[in-house]
Amino acid sequence: MIETVMSYVCDLFNPVMLILFILMISLVVYEVKRREAALKAEIEIREQQFAQIASDYKLFRSVIHDTNKHLKTIAGMIEKQENALALEYIKETVNELNGSYIKVNTGNIVVDALVSSLMHQCNELDIKCTTNICIDNSYLSISNHDMTVILGNLIDNSINAVSKINNSEDRHIGISLITDDTKFMIEVSNSYQEISEPTSKKGYGLGNIERTVQANKGEYSVMKNDGIYRTSIFIYHSIQKTDHSIQN
């Protein structure tokens, strides 16, 4: 027993073993810190998104609260036969509702919240936004958490990149979410400045996307062409469906 202990002590203080031991501890500490930083970055992103969603919801509730007043005002104008004035007031009210109402309604709470928030932010930042959404929720085996990680990070990256473009005419974000008989496709594209290429940098967000796609046995690809940065993701499935489509 004593010989075993002495042998262990000698091995521990062996220069080679000591170096290997230090390296092993350093790698463990590095990995722990890397995961902590990734988790912190992810939490910050989620907090920003939920804050935006909460802000949109409060604005929507505020508009609904005033709807009764608007209707009474319009009714009064019509009673006085001020039809032209009533029509103009209706147009203003409709524009106000369009600016606050949930713009996407697929039945998937994550998709509806994140894409609606994207459209709202694009409107505020003078960014052209195009959507092509055709999904069946019975095909979406991906969890709400994973959907949030993938879609949330892609949207954040696009907004950050496009916001750095000075010319508003060159600001554009496109998003496609489509299910078919074999797969769920997510495609997000955005214009970007050739000098900085902000979305091409490897960060925690992109790393989280890749890991989440791999966990769902999907495929992930990135393409840059003519000033457009495009990310395509395919997650495969094998169940029957009935489509519900929304296009803007």
Side-chain angles (χ1 to χ4, degrees):
M1 180 67 180
I2 295 177
E3 291 179 355
T4 302
V5 173
M6 291 300 295
S7 176
Y8 174 78
V9 172
C10 290
D11 288 339
L12 182 63
F13 285 97
N14 182 285
V16 176
M17 293 296 294
L18 184 59
I19 292 173
L20 291 175
F21 178 75
I22 293 173
L23 286 174
M24 182 180 69
I25 294 299
S26 298
L27 288 173
V28 171
V29 172
Y30 170 79
E31 180 63 17
V32 170
K33 289 183 176 180
R34 187 191 68 80
R35 293 190 179 187
E36 286 180 350
L39 180 59
K40 182 180 179 181
E42 189 66 31
I43 291 173
E44 289 177 351
I45 290 173
R46 298 288 76 77
E47 287 178 345
Q48 292 173 4
Q49 290 173 343
F50 290 138
Q52 179 63 49
I53 293 170
S55 176
D56 292 345
Y57 179 71
K58 288 180 180 179
L59 179 59
F60 168 68
R61 288 291 301 272
S62 175
V63 172
I64 293 300
H65 178 73
D66 290 337
T67 298
N68 187 47
K69 298 176 184 177
H70 292 314
L71 292 176
K72 288 180 179 179
T73 301
I74 293 169
M77 293 176 178
I78 294 174
E79 287 176 357
K80 294 179 181 179
Q81 297 185 346
E82 296 178 348
N83 296 335
L85 187 60
L87 181 60
E88 183 63 27
Y89 192 89
I90 289 172
K91 290 180 180 178
E92 292 177 1
T93 304
V94 169
N95 289 334
E96 184 179 2
L97 288 170
N98 287 336
S100 59
Y101 195 72
I102 295 297
K103 298 175 175 63
V104 179
N105 185 19
T106 66
N108 181 284
I109 187 172
V110 174
V111 171
D112 293 350
L114 292 180
V115 178
S116 293
S117 179
L118 165 66
M119 296 171 71
H120 181 75
Q121 291 181 75
C122 285
N123 183 59
E124 289 189 333
L125 297 171
D126 197 17
I127 298 172
K128 181 181 179 182
C129 180
T130 58
T131 65
N132 180 19
I133 302 177
C134 180
I135 64 175
D136 183 334
N137 290 306
S138 64
Y139 264 0
L140 298 180
S141 57
I142 182 173
S143 69
N144 286 340
H145 174 271
D146 288 354
M147 179 76 82
T148 301
V149 171
I150 294 173
L151 195 55
N153 278 296
L154 288 176
I155 288 174
D156 284 346
N157 290 343
S158 292
I159 291 175
N160 289 336
V162 177
S163 296
K164 297 177 181 179
I165 299 176
N166 295 325
N167 189 351
S168 61
E169 294 183 358
D170 295 331
R171 294 181 172 187
H172 176 261
I173 294 177
I175 181 168
S176 295
L177 305 173
I178 300 173
T179 54
D180 61 21
D181 292 335
T182 61
K183 63 185 175 299
F184 171 43
M185 184 195 79
I186 302 173
E187 184 174 275
V188 177
S189 62
N190 62 268
S191 52
Y192 70 95
Q193 287 183 326
E194 293 285 352
I195 298 176
S196 57
E197 299 185 12
T199 58
S200 65
K201 293 182 180 180
K202 187 75 170 181
Y204 293 122
L206 293 179
N208 290 339
I209 292 172
E210 290 184 5
R211 285 190 293 273
T212 304
V213 171
Q214 291 173 0
N216 285 273
K217 297 180 172 59
E219 297 178 358
Y220 172 92
S221 64
V222 171
M223 181 177 67
K224 293 181 291 181
N225 187 33
D226 294 333
I228 299 297
Y229 190 92
R230 188 183 313 275
T231 303
S232 300
I233 293 171
F234 298 96
I235 297 176
Y236 297 92
H237 49 248
S238 59
I239 59 176
Q240 298 300 316
K241 74 176 183 70
T242 302
D243 283 334
H244 304 289
S245 302
I246 298 178
Q247 293 191 1
N248 290 319

